Amino acid sequence: MTDKLKIKLSIADRVYPLTVDMSQEEGLRSAAKKIDAMIKQFEENYAVRDKQDVLAMCALQFASQLEQQKSVDTVVDTESIDRLARLNNALETYLNR
């Protein structure tokens, strides 16, 4: 049985009460801090008054980063598969001597 934990996260000056698995707490708190830091950065660098606009910009930024990371992960996976195939071929050649 996983233990549930009641936490409160503050994002964009609003408090969100959540019930989460203990294993999720640290990640959620970290994510909330990153969102607030990004909100502050957008507010300082752009003339944005509406919190909803800033939150939309944050969502776009995080989604963009996720998509870019997926592309990188795909390239890394392809390279790893190629390297494993070469290693497998080398082992088969060695063992079949």
Side-chain angles (χ1 to χ4, degrees):
M1 183 172 109
T2 58
D3 293 324
K4 297 288 184 177
L5 188 63
K6 292 183 186 230
I7 63 172
K8 292 182 181 178
L9 295 179
S10 176
I11 301 172
D13 300 325
R14 293 181 96 174
V15 175
Y16 297 92
L18 300 170
T19 302
V20 300
D21 289 334
M22 290 180 77
S23 62
Q24 294 177 308
E25 179 189 12
E26 185 177 343
L28 288 167
R29 290 193 187 280
S30 176
K33 285 181 184 179
K34 287 179 182 178
I35 293 168
D36 276 338
M38 190 176 288
I39 288 170
K40 183 178 178 183
Q41 181 182 12
F42 280 130
E43 288 175 336
E44 289 174 354
N45 295 326
Y46 303 100
V48 181
R49 294 184 186 156
D50 186 7
K51 285 285 187 195
Q52 185 167 344
D53 290 340
V54 176
L55 287 169
M57 291 168 66
C58 287
L60 180 61
Q61 182 76 21
F62 281 119
S64 173
Q65 290 171 357
L66 181 62
E67 290 301 316
Q68 289 172 356
Q69 187 60 44
K70 281 184 187 177
S71 295
V72 170
D73 289 347
T74 300
V75 170
V76 169
D77 286 346
T78 302
E79 290 173 358
S80 296
I81 290 170
D82 290 344
R83 291 174 79 187
L84 287 171
R86 288 193 306 269
L87 180 60
N88 189 48
N89 288 338
L91 285 171
E92 284 181 358
T93 300
Y94 178 77
L95 292 174
N96 290 328
R97 282 187 189 180

